Amino acid sequence: MHHTNGNGNFASFSMEEFLKKSKGYAVIDGGLATELERHGADLHDPLWSGKCLISSPHLIRTVHLDYLEAGADILITASYQATIQGFMAKGLSEKESEALLAKSVSIACEARDMYYERSSEGSCIEDGRVLNKRKILVAASVGSYGAYLADGSEYDGNYGDSVTLATLKEFHRRRVQVLAEAGADLIAFETIPNKIEAQAFAELLDEDDIKIPAWFAFNSKDGVNVVSGDSLVECTLVANSCKKVVAVGINCTPPRFISALILSMKKVTSKPLLIYPNSGETYDADRKEWVESTGVSNEDFVSYVNVWREAGASLIGGCCRTTPDTIRAIHKVLSAGSSTAVPSKD
């Protein structure tokens, strides 16, 4: 069995092989920020969940463990909003900032180790907790430039003319290197709002001899294009042409848009497709808060899962405002579907 680590060659990791071993699908974890708050973290800070890397790493580990016990096969690290520039603006040194990035990966790896200690060789469910020795991947999260700006621009992808391909590569370069060397299995480039940032990530992966593979996840607010208005098909082609990208898909997007997005991506790539939508609630960027009651219930969210599988998604989880309960329900639907042939609903 191929294992990757910080020093492994990316070629030794095959997403297809990982998926084949896990019955053709894998479960990605769910939302982090709301879960951290539920455990008592205070996230009123431009660093958002990145702040917890400094103040309460144990809470991050607890949330990771909750997701593993809910059946997640892939943990995404708490580094979405963690950037060297953001930490340094808070007065940390470059070295301290890099150490915090690496810490986000080691916390997820610790949670995985703790889970392995608790789990049995066979498949077992105790008090509703899934406990089994399956292969679990740690994906190091890289948020967009807009996530660092914390002004909502990751939801519209409009960075203005002064932000060029070179600006974006310069901004992300060191962070990607640090995360790639910290022991994660892959890098998750998340909530990519436009084509230029996808190009920046693809070029960094190729030019900087990054030793682990990556996935690209775009976001959409209309079910057709990515949020900037760039063509999803063109963005998918950028991901498709990069050998180190082992899966491509959509995150942080309302569930109702997902099926159409999967179908349009499937036309231009044969890479595995991943989707982890938000709960469907609307984010008010001016007030910096989620608008309650605009989302779908866990039942409704999960009712989409078989539709997404049939459309071609093989990695499925949740983004903002989804919980371990959402992930537990996704795990249930997928494991039921893989052991019995589910008749398709007309």
Side-chain angles (χ1 to χ4, degrees):
M1 185 160 164
H2 293 307
H3 281 278
T4 53
N5 54 38
N7 314 315
N9 183 336
F10 86 92
S12 69
F13 173 82
S14 153
M15 182 60 86
E16 277 90 351
E17 195 179 314
F18 169 69
L19 287 168
K20 207 160 67 192
K21 286 206 167 85
S22 61
K23 300 181 182 157
Y25 70 85
V27 180
I28 301 171
D29 63 8
L32 188 64
T34 8
E35 282 303 292
L36 286 168
E37 287 178 326
R38 199 172 62 81
H39 284 289
D42 172 18
L43 302 181
H44 289 288
D45 193 282
L47 292 178
W48 222 28
S49 46
K51 181 187 172 203
C52 286
L53 289 168
I54 305 171
S55 56
S56 41
H58 61 288
L59 294 184
I60 297 173
R61 198 174 58 202
T62 300
V63 174
H64 284 328
L65 261 168
D66 287 348
Y67 279 121
L68 292 177
E69 292 183 347
D73 304 301
I74 301 174
L75 287 179
I76 300 177
T77 64
S79 49
Y80 177 78
Q81 212 113 7
T83 62
I84 296 169
Q85 297 87 337
F87 287 137
M88 288 176 74
K90 297 287 278 191
L92 281 86
S93 71
E94 192 166 3
K95 208 172 172 180
E96 288 167 325
S97 306
E98 292 184 1
L100 282 171
L101 282 176
K103 186 173 173 181
S104 71
V105 174
S106 59
I107 293 167
C109 292
E110 276 167 33
R112 173 171 63 185
D113 291 343
M114 286 166 75
Y115 177 80
Y116 282 152
E117 278 165 30
R118 292 179 193 182
S119 59
S120 56
E121 285 302 332
S123 187
C124 125
I125 296 189
E126 246 174 61
D127 319 325
R129 295 179 309 159
V130 177
L131 297 171
N132 61 22
K133 279 265 183 6
R134 60 193 181 280
K135 183 159 171 62
I136 291 161
L137 300 179
V138 169
S141 170
V142 172
S144 69
Y145 181 64
Y148 153 74
L149 297 175
D151 61 359
S153 61
E154 79 248 55
Y155 300 112
D156 68 20
N158 180 12
Y159 295 161
D161 295 339
S162 60
V163 176
T164 62
L165 189 64
T167 317
L168 292 170
K169 282 164 71 172
E170 192 49 44
F171 176 79
H172 288 294
R173 172 167 273 126
R174 184 65 193 134
R175 175 195 195 189
V176 170
Q177 288 169 336
V178 171
L179 288 170
E181 284 159 20
D185 297 293
L186 70 164
I187 297 174
F189 292 104
E190 305 189 279
T191 326
I192 307 173
N194 53 34
K195 185 178 166 187
I196 190 172
E197 196 150 22
Q199 284 170 319
F201 292 145
E203 290 183 20
L204 285 179
L205 287 171
D206 286 338
E207 292 166 3
D208 288 4
D209 190 29
I210 300 300
K211 295 283 192 287
I212 58 172
W215 81 43
F216 280 14
F218 298 95
N219 59 335
S220 171
K221 53 189 173 194
D222 61 4
V224 181
N225 298 311
V226 297
V227 292
S228 61
D230 288 350
S231 148
L232 176 66
V233 165
E234 285 182 25
C235 289
T236 307
L237 287 169
V238 172
N240 193 58
S241 64
C242 180
K243 283 195 175 54
K244 287 185 191 170
V245 174
V246 291
V248 58
I250 302 288
N251 76 308
C252 206
T253 294
R256 66 183 184 277
F257 293 141
I258 297 293
S259 292
L261 295 165
I262 297 172
L263 293 171
S264 75
M265 298 180 103
K266 205 165 73 170
K267 289 187 181 122
V268 293
T269 186
S270 57
K271 291 184 196 277
L273 296 176
L274 59 100
I275 52 133
Y276 47 115
N278 55 36
S279 65
E281 286 178 341
T282 315
Y283 184 70
D284 183 328
D286 297 327
R287 292 165 62 186
K288 290 200 168 36
E289 60 187 40
W290 292 91
V291 183
E292 289 290 347
S293 81
T294 51
V296 296
S297 67
N298 270 341
E299 290 75 26
D300 289 343
F301 188 99
V302 170
S303 70
Y304 282 110
V305 169
N306 282 325
V307 180
W308 295 334
R309 277 285 286 148
E310 279 172 32
S314 48
L315 299 119
I316 300 176
C319 199
C320 306
R321 314 286 283 183
T322 60
T323 67
D325 286 339
T326 319
I327 299 310
R328 192 171 291 110
I330 291 172
H331 169 78
K332 258 195 187 127
V333 172
L334 288 174
S335 43
S338 70
S339 53
T340 56
V342 180
S344 63
K345 293 187 182 73
D346 290 326

